Amino acid sequence: AQSVTQLDSHVSVSEGTPVLLRCNYSSSYSPSLFWYVQHPNKGLQLLLKYTSAATLVKGINGFEAEFKKSETSFHLTKPSAHMSDAAEYFCVVSDHGSSNTGKLIFGQGTTLQVKP
Amino acid sequence: EPEVTQTPSHQVTQMGQEVILRCVPISNHLYFYWYRQILGQKVEFLVSFYNNEISEKSEIFDDQFSVERPDGSNFTLKIRSTKLEDSAMYFCASSVRGPNTEAFFGQGTRLTVV
């Protein structure tokens, strides 16, 4: 069965410093992985996706993630945090179970705080 | 830009009452989903819907829950007799091709059962 583990429930950075949100996955298949962001009182917005093409994936708002099969990781990074990046971030894997319906499996979420 | 819309944004209901949560998926999408997030917990899958039928459902999605696509545009989640533990944020999502593709989510409906 597929699963994702987000290693930090809360990350705090200063504006202008790098962001690293960690995610490890478990999958019996070649996974499809996503990062979603949720701003307060907003829906879940796709940041980026990995679906077995390039291992370094670029997303919106300057975010990137690198798929590392050897480490079963898909960490999210950004070189320089902005105040508007403060939100909840979810690492997500697409389930490849027998039904293969496109069901998504979410990590626990990481709250990113950006300090001025 | 097309988006998934959900109504209402917030619903308060008494225990035992029926509620219907409504969603309008993106028009050319073929796969539809409901997820929920209890406060402080993970986002959990409830049900997927394709070709006018349920394609997968979780253990949470028991006989109290049902989904419907009554008119080719709306996608509804009905909870027949709400319980306190049904209080959560409910998200509707849709995708073009389903497996291995991203889903587009609505803003959610916060359901509070009192």
Side-chain angles (χ1 to χ4, degrees):
Chain A
Q2 281 67 238
S3 67
V4 286
T5 302
Q6 293 183 243
L7 300 168
D8 306 293
S9 59
H10 189 104
V11 169
S12 181
V13 302
S14 296
E15 189 176 21
T17 64
V19 175
L20 170 64
L21 305 183
R22 298 182 294 164
C23 172
N24 285 111
Y25 70 89
S26 172
S27 177
S28 306
Y29 305 85
S30 180
S32 295
L33 293 158
F34 311 87
W35 276 97
Y36 281 84
V37 61
Q38 184 181 26
H39 288 93
N41 301 314
K42 298 285 179 98
L44 293 156
Q45 181 186 20
L46 179 71
L47 272 181
L48 48 81
K49 62 180 179 181
Y50 167 78
T51 54
S52 76
T55 56
L56 180 62
V57 180
K58 293 185 186 299
I60 62 171
N61 301 335
F63 284 93
E64 293 183 349
E66 186 170 7
F67 173 74
K68 292 187 177 180
K69 186 175 180 179
S70 60
E71 298 176 10
T72 61
S73 69
F74 190 58
H75 300 335
L76 181 71
T77 60
K78 182 173 180 176
S80 176
H82 192 273
M83 295 298 292
S84 61
D85 294 328
E88 186 85 5
Y89 291 79
F90 295 95
C91 183
V92 178
V93 65
S94 182
D95 187 30
H96 283 254
S98 58
S99 56
N100 201 23
T101 58
K103 175 177 81 175
L104 299 178
I105 298 168
F106 282 73
Q108 295 94 327
T110 298
T111 302
L112 176 65
Q113 180 187 22
V114 182
K115 296 179 288 189
Chain B
E1 184 178 324
E3 59 181 17
V4 176
T5 57
Q6 290 185 243
T7 54
S9 57
H10 193 182
Q11 172 95 43
V12 181
T13 188
Q14 290 206 325
M15 193 167 52
Q17 295 296 304
E18 174 183 285
V19 294
I20 297 176
L21 309 183
R22 302 181 191 280
C23 170
V24 179
I26 295 172
S27 61
N28 64 331
H29 286 190
L30 301 177
Y31 294 78
F32 312 108
Y33 308 88
W34 283 100
Y35 293 81
R36 79 172 185 189
Q37 184 181 30
I38 295 172
L39 190 63
Q41 297 186 24
K42 278 188 185 187
V43 177
E44 304 171 289
F45 168 79
L46 290 178
V47 65
S48 61
F49 192 87
Y50 171 70
N51 201 25
N52 284 319
E53 62 183 18
I54 291 174
S55 47
E56 185 177 2
K57 59 184 180 180
S58 72
E59 292 174 355
I60 303 166
F61 196 88
D62 61 20
D63 292 344
Q64 293 297 317
F65 291 87
S66 62
V67 289
E68 203 175 34
R69 190 158 159 78
D71 55 12
S73 62
N74 291 285
F75 180 52
T76 61
L77 174 69
K78 182 192 292 186
I79 309 175
R80 191 168 302 118
S81 176
T82 50
K83 303 187 280 285
L84 294 175
E85 53 264 38
D86 294 327
S87 296
M89 181 73 92
Y90 288 80
F91 292 105
C92 173
S94 66
S95 71
V96 175
R97 297 191 307 275
N100 303 322
T101 61
E102 68 269 32
F104 293 81
F105 285 80
Q107 291 188 313
T109 293
R110 179 164 297 286
L111 176 66
T112 303
V113 182
V114 297

